[in-house]
PDB file of all heavy atoms in Angstrom:
ATOM      1  N   SER A   1      15.705 -15.723  -3.777  1.00 87.00           N
ATOM      2  CA  SER A   1      16.770 -16.439  -3.071  1.00 87.00           C
ATOM      3  C   SER A   1      16.390 -16.752  -1.624  1.00 87.00           C
ATOM      4  O   SER A   1      16.846 -17.734  -1.057  1.00 87.00           O
ATOM      5  CB  SER A   1      18.065 -15.630  -3.105  1.00 87.00           C
ATOM      6  OG  SER A   1      17.937 -14.442  -2.337  1.00 87.00           O
ATOM      7  N   ASP A   2      15.547 -15.911  -1.022  1.00 77.00           N
ATOM      8  CA  ASP A   2      15.201 -16.111   0.387  1.00 77.00           C
ATOM      9  C   ASP A   2      13.736 -15.792   0.615  1.00 77.00           C
ATOM     10  O   ASP A   2      13.371 -15.002   1.475  1.00 77.00           O
ATOM     11  CB  ASP A   2      16.089 -15.227   1.273  1.00 77.00           C
ATOM     12  CG  ASP A   2      15.912 -15.528   2.756  1.00 77.00           C
ATOM     13  OD1 ASP A   2      15.526 -16.668   3.085  1.00 77.00           O
ATOM     14  OD2 ASP A   2      16.155 -14.630   3.575  1.00 77.00           O
ATOM     15  N   GLY A   3      12.870 -16.403  -0.190  1.00 69.00           N
ATOM     16  CA  GLY A   3      11.447 -16.102  -0.078  1.00 69.00           C
ATOM     17  C   GLY A   3      11.143 -14.775  -0.758  1.00 69.00           C
ATOM     18  O   GLY A   3      12.030 -14.096  -1.268  1.00 69.00           O
ATOM     19  N   ALA A   4       9.896 -14.385  -0.766  1.00 66.00           N
ATOM     20  CA  ALA A   4       9.470 -13.150  -1.443  1.00 66.00           C
ATOM     21  C   ALA A   4       9.265 -12.046  -0.434  1.00 66.00           C
ATOM     22  O   ALA A   4       8.224 -11.406  -0.391  1.00 66.00           O
ATOM     23  CB  ALA A   4       8.200 -13.413  -2.241  1.00 66.00           C
ATOM     24  N   GLY A   5      10.280 -11.775   0.369  1.00 72.00           N
ATOM     25  CA  GLY A   5      10.194 -10.840   1.490  1.00 72.00           C
ATOM     26  C   GLY A   5       9.734  -9.443   1.159  1.00 72.00           C
ATOM     27  O   GLY A   5       8.720  -9.238   0.521  1.00 72.00           O
ATOM     28  N   ARG A   6      10.511  -8.452   1.547  1.00 87.00           N
ATOM     29  CA  ARG A   6      10.050  -7.068   1.492  1.00 87.00           C
ATOM     30  C   ARG A   6      10.118  -6.523   0.065  1.00 87.00           C
ATOM     31  O   ARG A   6      11.162  -6.130  -0.411  1.00 87.00           O
ATOM     32  CB  ARG A   6      10.891  -6.210   2.443  1.00 87.00           C
ATOM     33  CG  ARG A   6      10.593  -6.496   3.908  1.00 87.00           C
ATOM     34  CD  ARG A   6      11.329  -5.548   4.816  1.00 87.00           C
ATOM     35  NE  ARG A   6      12.767  -5.785   4.811  1.00 87.00           N
ATOM     36  CZ  ARG A   6      13.673  -4.867   4.528  1.00 87.00           C
ATOM     37  NH1 ARG A   6      13.316  -3.646   4.201  1.00 87.00           N
ATOM     38  NH2 ARG A   6      14.964  -5.158   4.574  1.00 87.00           N
ATOM     39  N   GLN A   7       8.977  -6.525  -0.571  1.00 92.00           N
ATOM     40  CA  GLN A   7       8.860  -5.945  -1.904  1.00 92.00           C
ATOM     41  C   GLN A   7       7.551  -5.176  -1.978  1.00 92.00           C
ATOM     42  O   GLN A   7       6.613  -5.421  -1.214  1.00 92.00           O
ATOM     43  CB  GLN A   7       8.915  -7.030  -2.974  1.00 92.00           C
ATOM     44  CG  GLN A   7       7.964  -8.188  -2.752  1.00 92.00           C
ATOM     45  CD  GLN A   7       7.867  -9.100  -3.952  1.00 92.00           C
ATOM     46  OE1 GLN A   7       7.722  -8.650  -5.070  1.00 92.00           O
ATOM     47  NE2 GLN A   7       7.936 -10.396  -3.714  1.00 92.00           N
ATOM     48  N   ALA A   8       7.486  -4.220  -2.885  1.00 94.00           N
ATOM     49  CA  ALA A   8       6.279  -3.411  -3.060  1.00 94.00           C
ATOM     50  C   ALA A   8       6.107  -3.133  -4.544  1.00 94.00           C
ATOM     51  O   ALA A   8       7.056  -3.225  -5.323  1.00 94.00           O
ATOM     52  CB  ALA A   8       6.391  -2.103  -2.278  1.00 94.00           C
ATOM     53  N   MET A   9       4.875  -2.809  -4.919  1.00 95.00           N
ATOM     54  CA  MET A   9       4.602  -2.484  -6.318  1.00 95.00           C
ATOM     55  C   MET A   9       3.682  -1.272  -6.392  1.00 95.00           C
ATOM     56  O   MET A   9       2.713  -1.161  -5.623  1.00 95.00           O
ATOM     57  CB  MET A   9       3.959  -3.674  -7.034  1.00 95.00           C
ATOM     58  CG  MET A   9       3.784  -3.453  -8.536  1.00 95.00           C
ATOM     59  SD  MET A   9       3.480  -5.018  -9.423  1.00 95.00           S
ATOM     60  CE  MET A   9       3.334  -4.387 -11.112  1.00 95.00           C
ATOM     61  N   VAL A  10       4.006  -0.356  -7.297  1.00 95.00           N
ATOM     62  CA  VAL A  10       3.193   0.837  -7.536  1.00 95.00           C
ATOM     63  C   VAL A  10       2.715   0.786  -8.980  1.00 95.00           C
ATOM     64  O   VAL A  10       3.515   0.613  -9.906  1.00 95.00           O
ATOM     65  CB  VAL A  10       4.006   2.123  -7.274  1.00 95.00           C
ATOM     66  CG1 VAL A  10       3.212   3.355  -7.703  1.00 95.00           C
ATOM     67  CG2 VAL A  10       4.371   2.224  -5.796  1.00 95.00           C
ATOM     68  N   PHE A  11       1.423   0.962  -9.149  1.00 93.00           N
ATOM     69  CA  PHE A  11       0.801   0.810 -10.463  1.00 93.00           C
ATOM     70  C   PHE A  11       0.599   2.161 -11.142  1.00 93.00           C
ATOM     71  O   PHE A  11       0.697   3.219 -10.524  1.00 93.00           O
ATOM     72  CB  PHE A  11      -0.547   0.101 -10.315  1.00 93.00           C
ATOM     73  CG  PHE A  11      -0.446  -1.266  -9.704  1.00 93.00           C
ATOM     74  CD1 PHE A  11      -0.552  -1.444  -8.332  1.00 93.00           C
ATOM     75  CD2 PHE A  11      -0.215  -2.381 -10.498  1.00 93.00           C
ATOM     76  CE1 PHE A  11      -0.438  -2.705  -7.763  1.00 93.00           C
ATOM     77  CE2 PHE A  11      -0.106  -3.646  -9.943  1.00 93.00           C
ATOM     78  CZ  PHE A  11      -0.217  -3.800  -8.568  1.00 93.00           C
ATOM     79  N   GLN A  12       0.273   2.103 -12.423  1.00 89.00           N
ATOM     80  CA  GLN A  12       0.031   3.319 -13.188  1.00 89.00           C
ATOM     81  C   GLN A  12      -1.129   4.113 -12.605  1.00 89.00           C
ATOM     82  O   GLN A  12      -1.080   5.346 -12.536  1.00 89.00           O
ATOM     83  CB  GLN A  12      -0.246   2.968 -14.645  1.00 89.00           C
ATOM     84  CG  GLN A  12      -0.501   4.163 -15.539  1.00 89.00           C
ATOM     85  CD  GLN A  12      -0.724   3.762 -16.983  1.00 89.00           C
ATOM     86  OE1 GLN A  12      -0.363   2.673 -17.410  1.00 89.00           O
ATOM     87  NE2 GLN A  12      -1.329   4.642 -17.759  1.00 89.00           N
ATOM     88  N   ARG A  13      -2.159   3.409 -12.172  1.00 89.00           N
ATOM     89  CA  ARG A  13      -3.316   4.064 -11.553  1.00 89.00           C
ATOM     90  C   ARG A  13      -3.515   3.454 -10.162  1.00 89.00           C
ATOM     91  O   ARG A  13      -4.223   2.453 -10.006  1.00 89.00           O
ATOM     92  CB  ARG A  13      -4.572   3.870 -12.409  1.00 89.00           C
ATOM     93  CG  ARG A  13      -4.491   4.555 -13.762  1.00 89.00           C
ATOM     94  CD  ARG A  13      -5.742   4.343 -14.586  1.00 89.00           C
ATOM     95  NE  ARG A  13      -5.690   5.004 -15.871  1.00 89.00           N
ATOM     96  CZ  ARG A  13      -5.093   4.520 -16.951  1.00 89.00           C
ATOM     97  NH1 ARG A  13      -4.510   3.322 -16.884  1.00 89.00           N
ATOM     98  NH2 ARG A  13      -5.065   5.185 -18.085  1.00 89.00           N
ATOM     99  N   PRO A  14      -2.915   4.048  -9.151  1.00 91.00           N
ATOM    100  CA  PRO A  14      -2.977   3.469  -7.809  1.00 91.00           C
ATOM    101  C   PRO A  14      -4.384   3.534  -7.223  1.00 91.00           C
ATOM    102  O   PRO A  14      -5.156   4.455  -7.513  1.00 91.00           O
ATOM    103  CB  PRO A  14      -2.006   4.330  -6.998  1.00 91.00           C
ATOM    104  CG  PRO A  14      -1.991   5.646  -7.713  1.00 91.00           C
ATOM    105  CD  PRO A  14      -2.138   5.306  -9.166  1.00 91.00           C
ATOM    106  N   VAL A  15      -4.700   2.557  -6.398  1.00 92.00           N
ATOM    107  CA  VAL A  15      -5.992   2.515  -5.710  1.00 92.00           C
ATOM    108  C   VAL A  15      -5.873   3.304  -4.415  1.00 92.00           C
ATOM    109  O   VAL A  15      -4.985   3.062  -3.602  1.00 92.00           O
ATOM    110  CB  VAL A  15      -6.407   1.067  -5.407  1.00 92.00           C
ATOM    111  CG1 VAL A  15      -7.693   1.043  -4.589  1.00 92.00           C
ATOM    112  CG2 VAL A  15      -6.580   0.287  -6.713  1.00 92.00           C
ATOM    113  N   MET A  16      -6.781   4.254  -4.231  1.00 96.00           N
ATOM    114  CA  MET A  16      -6.805   5.063  -3.017  1.00 96.00           C
ATOM    115  C   MET A  16      -7.989   4.656  -2.136  1.00 96.00           C
ATOM    116  O   MET A  16      -9.120   4.535  -2.619  1.00 96.00           O
ATOM    117  CB  MET A  16      -6.948   6.548  -3.370  1.00 96.00           C
ATOM    118  CG  MET A  16      -5.787   7.125  -4.171  1.00 96.00           C
ATOM    119  SD  MET A  16      -4.284   7.328  -3.191  1.00 96.00           S
ATOM    120  CE  MET A  16      -3.229   6.057  -3.909  1.00 96.00           C
ATOM    121  N   LEU A  17      -7.730   4.423  -0.868  1.00 96.00           N
ATOM    122  CA  LEU A  17      -8.795   4.112   0.074  1.00 96.00           C
ATOM    123  C   LEU A  17      -9.601   5.366   0.391  1.00 96.00           C
ATOM    124  O   LEU A  17      -9.098   6.490   0.280  1.00 96.00           O
ATOM    125  CB  LEU A  17      -8.201   3.545   1.366  1.00 96.00           C
ATOM    126  CG  LEU A  17      -7.328   2.299   1.215  1.00 96.00           C
ATOM    127  CD1 LEU A  17      -6.740   1.905   2.562  1.00 96.00           C
ATOM    128  CD2 LEU A  17      -8.123   1.148   0.621  1.00 96.00           C
ATOM    129  N   ARG A  18     -10.830   5.176   0.809  1.00 96.00           N
ATOM    130  CA  ARG A  18     -11.700   6.310   1.149  1.00 96.00           C
ATOM    131  C   ARG A  18     -11.349   6.845   2.535  1.00 96.00           C
ATOM    132  O   ARG A  18     -12.119   6.705   3.496  1.00 96.00           O
ATOM    133  CB  ARG A  18     -13.176   5.896   1.104  1.00 96.00           C
ATOM    134  CG  ARG A  18     -13.690   5.575  -0.292  1.00 96.00           C
ATOM    135  CD  ARG A  18     -15.169   5.221  -0.252  1.00 96.00           C
ATOM    136  NE  ARG A  18     -15.685   4.908  -1.570  1.00 96.00           N
ATOM    137  CZ  ARG A  18     -16.131   5.811  -2.444  1.00 96.00           C
ATOM    138  NH1 ARG A  18     -16.112   7.088  -2.122  1.00 96.00           N
ATOM    139  NH2 ARG A  18     -16.585   5.434  -3.633  1.00 96.00           N
ATOM    140  N   ARG A  19     -10.182   7.441   2.635  1.00 97.00           N
ATOM    141  CA  ARG A  19      -9.701   8.009   3.891  1.00 97.00           C
ATOM    142  C   ARG A  19      -8.607   9.009   3.561  1.00 97.00           C
ATOM    143  O   ARG A  19      -8.285   9.224   2.397  1.00 97.00           O
ATOM    144  CB  ARG A  19      -9.213   6.912   4.831  1.00 97.00           C
ATOM    145  CG  ARG A  19      -8.164   5.989   4.243  1.00 97.00           C
ATOM    146  CD  ARG A  19      -7.920   4.774   5.131  1.00 97.00           C
ATOM    147  NE  ARG A  19      -9.034   3.827   5.060  1.00 97.00           N
ATOM    148  CZ  ARG A  19      -9.119   2.736   5.800  1.00 97.00           C
ATOM    149  NH1 ARG A  19      -8.186   2.464   6.694  1.00 97.00           N
ATOM    150  NH2 ARG A  19     -10.145   1.907   5.681  1.00 97.00           N
ATOM    151  N   SER A  20      -8.034   9.617   4.560  1.00 98.00           N
ATOM    152  CA  SER A  20      -7.029  10.649   4.331  1.00 98.00           C
ATOM    153  C   SER A  20      -5.747  10.064   3.753  1.00 98.00           C
ATOM    154  O   SER A  20      -5.513   8.849   3.782  1.00 98.00           O
ATOM    155  CB  SER A  20      -6.717  11.370   5.641  1.00 98.00           C
ATOM    156  OG  SER A  20      -6.010  10.495   6.521  1.00 98.00           O
ATOM    157  N   ALA A  21      -4.910  10.963   3.256  1.00 98.00           N
ATOM    158  CA  ALA A  21      -3.604  10.532   2.748  1.00 98.00           C
ATOM    159  C   ALA A  21      -2.819   9.830   3.846  1.00 98.00           C
ATOM    160  O   ALA A  21      -2.231   8.763   3.629  1.00 98.00           O
ATOM    161  CB  ALA A  21      -2.837  11.738   2.225  1.00 98.00           C
ATOM    162  N   LEU A  22      -2.811  10.416   5.035  1.00 98.00           N
ATOM    163  CA  LEU A  22      -2.090   9.815   6.166  1.00 98.00           C
ATOM    164  C   LEU A  22      -2.646   8.440   6.503  1.00 98.00           C
ATOM    165  O   LEU A  22      -1.887   7.481   6.706  1.00 98.00           O
ATOM    166  CB  LEU A  22      -2.192  10.727   7.391  1.00 98.00           C
ATOM    167  CG  LEU A  22      -1.491  10.241   8.662  1.00 98.00           C
ATOM    168  CD1 LEU A  22       0.011  10.183   8.452  1.00 98.00           C
ATOM    169  CD2 LEU A  22      -1.836  11.148   9.834  1.00 98.00           C
ATOM    170  N   ALA A  23      -3.960   8.314   6.525  1.00 98.00           N
ATOM    171  CA  ALA A  23      -4.584   7.036   6.878  1.00 98.00           C
ATOM    172  C   ALA A  23      -4.329   5.974   5.813  1.00 98.00           C
ATOM    173  O   ALA A  23      -4.238   4.788   6.127  1.00 98.00           O
ATOM    174  CB  ALA A  23      -6.084   7.221   7.088  1.00 98.00           C
ATOM    175  N   ASN A  24      -4.212   6.395   4.554  1.00 98.00           N
ATOM    176  CA  ASN A  24      -3.869   5.445   3.492  1.00 98.00           C
ATOM    177  C   ASN A  24      -2.522   4.789   3.762  1.00 98.00           C
ATOM    178  O   ASN A  24      -2.372   3.576   3.639  1.00 98.00           O
ATOM    179  CB  ASN A  24      -3.840   6.148   2.132  1.00 98.00           C
ATOM    180  CG  ASN A  24      -5.123   5.999   1.350  1.00 98.00           C
ATOM    181  OD1 ASN A  24      -5.251   5.125   0.502  1.00 98.00           O
ATOM    182  ND2 ASN A  24      -6.098   6.849   1.660  1.00 98.00           N
ATOM    183  N   VAL A  25      -1.542   5.590   4.137  1.00 98.00           N
ATOM    184  CA  VAL A  25      -0.210   5.058   4.404  1.00 98.00           C
ATOM    185  C   VAL A  25      -0.216   4.257   5.699  1.00 98.00           C
ATOM    186  O   VAL A  25       0.366   3.159   5.780  1.00 98.00           O
ATOM    187  CB  VAL A  25       0.830   6.188   4.470  1.00 98.00           C
ATOM    188  CG1 VAL A  25       2.228   5.604   4.718  1.00 98.00           C
ATOM    189  CG2 VAL A  25       0.823   6.992   3.173  1.00 98.00           C
ATOM    190  N   ALA A  26      -0.875   4.796   6.731  1.00 98.00           N
ATOM    191  CA  ALA A  26      -0.917   4.105   8.021  1.00 98.00           C
ATOM    192  C   ALA A  26      -1.574   2.731   7.902  1.00 98.00           C
ATOM    193  O   ALA A  26      -1.156   1.779   8.575  1.00 98.00           O
ATOM    194  CB  ALA A  26      -1.662   4.963   9.047  1.00 98.00           C
ATOM    195  N   TYR A  27      -2.579   2.631   7.043  1.00 97.00           N
ATOM    196  CA  TYR A  27      -3.241   1.339   6.833  1.00 97.00           C
ATOM    197  C   TYR A  27      -2.248   0.303   6.312  1.00 97.00           C
ATOM    198  O   TYR A  27      -2.222  -0.841   6.765  1.00 97.00           O
ATOM    199  CB  TYR A  27      -4.398   1.509   5.848  1.00 97.00           C
ATOM    200  CG  TYR A  27      -5.114   0.211   5.520  1.00 97.00           C
ATOM    201  CD1 TYR A  27      -6.141  -0.256   6.331  1.00 97.00           C
ATOM    202  CD2 TYR A  27      -4.748  -0.544   4.407  1.00 97.00           C
ATOM    203  CE1 TYR A  27      -6.799  -1.452   6.037  1.00 97.00           C
ATOM    204  CE2 TYR A  27      -5.391  -1.737   4.108  1.00 97.00           C
ATOM    205  CZ  TYR A  27      -6.414  -2.183   4.928  1.00 97.00           C
ATOM    206  OH  TYR A  27      -7.042  -3.368   4.639  1.00 97.00           O
ATOM    207  N   ALA A  28      -1.431   0.711   5.335  1.00 95.00           N
ATOM    208  CA  ALA A  28      -0.437  -0.209   4.770  1.00 95.00           C
ATOM    209  C   ALA A  28       0.592  -0.618   5.815  1.00 95.00           C
ATOM    210  O   ALA A  28       1.007  -1.779   5.877  1.00 95.00           O
ATOM    211  CB  ALA A  28       0.248   0.447   3.578  1.00 95.00           C
ATOM    212  N   VAL A  29       1.003   0.341   6.638  1.00 96.00           N
ATOM    213  CA  VAL A  29       1.989   0.050   7.687  1.00 96.00           C
ATOM    214  C   VAL A  29       1.412  -0.927   8.700  1.00 96.00           C
ATOM    215  O   VAL A  29       2.062  -1.905   9.098  1.00 96.00           O
ATOM    216  CB  VAL A  29       2.422   1.355   8.388  1.00 96.00           C
ATOM    217  CG1 VAL A  29       3.344   1.050   9.576  1.00 96.00           C
ATOM    218  CG2 VAL A  29       3.119   2.280   7.395  1.00 96.00           C
ATOM    219  N   ASP A  30       0.165  -0.681   9.108  1.00 96.00           N
ATOM    220  CA  ASP A  30      -0.489  -1.557  10.081  1.00 96.00           C
ATOM    221  C   ASP A  30      -0.697  -2.954   9.501  1.00 96.00           C
ATOM    222  O   ASP A  30      -0.477  -3.961  10.178  1.00 96.00           O
ATOM    223  CB  ASP A  30      -1.833  -0.942  10.493  1.00 96.00           C
ATOM    224  CG  ASP A  30      -2.506  -1.725  11.606  1.00 96.00           C
ATOM    225  OD1 ASP A  30      -1.903  -1.886  12.679  1.00 96.00           O
ATOM    226  OD2 ASP A  30      -3.647  -2.182  11.393  1.00 96.00           O
ATOM    227  N   ALA A  31      -1.095  -3.017   8.223  1.00 94.00           N
ATOM    228  CA  ALA A  31      -1.316  -4.316   7.582  1.00 94.00           C
ATOM    229  C   ALA A  31      -0.028  -5.127   7.499  1.00 94.00           C
ATOM    230  O   ALA A  31      -0.059  -6.362   7.501  1.00 94.00           O
ATOM    231  CB  ALA A  31      -1.899  -4.115   6.189  1.00 94.00           C
ATOM    232  N   ALA A  32       1.105  -4.432   7.444  1.00 92.00           N
ATOM    233  CA  ALA A  32       2.392  -5.108   7.387  1.00 92.00           C
ATOM    234  C   ALA A  32       2.889  -5.525   8.774  1.00 92.00           C
ATOM    235  O   ALA A  32       3.951  -6.133   8.895  1.00 92.00           O
ATOM    236  CB  ALA A  32       3.426  -4.209   6.727  1.00 92.00           C
ATOM    237  N   GLY A  33       2.112  -5.188   9.813  1.00 93.00           N
ATOM    238  CA  GLY A  33       2.487  -5.577  11.168  1.00 93.00           C
ATOM    239  C   GLY A  33       3.591  -4.736  11.768  1.00 93.00           C
ATOM    240  O   GLY A  33       4.255  -5.155  12.730  1.00 93.00           O
TER     241      GLY A  33
END
């Protein structure tokens, strides 16, 4: 109705970056601006 704004998807086998748990989340937050 108003663009494809704030949505997220979690998969059966999530991809983990080669960094700490905290840095994985922080990366997503930073990427979202």
Side-chain angles (χ1 to χ4, degrees):
S1 67
D2 188 26
R6 289 186 291 124
Q7 51 169 313
M9 186 163 180
V10 172
F11 300 91
Q12 180 178 341
R13 295 180 179 82
V15 175
M16 297 288 110
L17 303 176
R18 292 182 180 275
R19 54 191 73 185
S20 70
L22 180 65
N24 263 264
V25 181
Y27 178 86
V29 174
D30 186 58

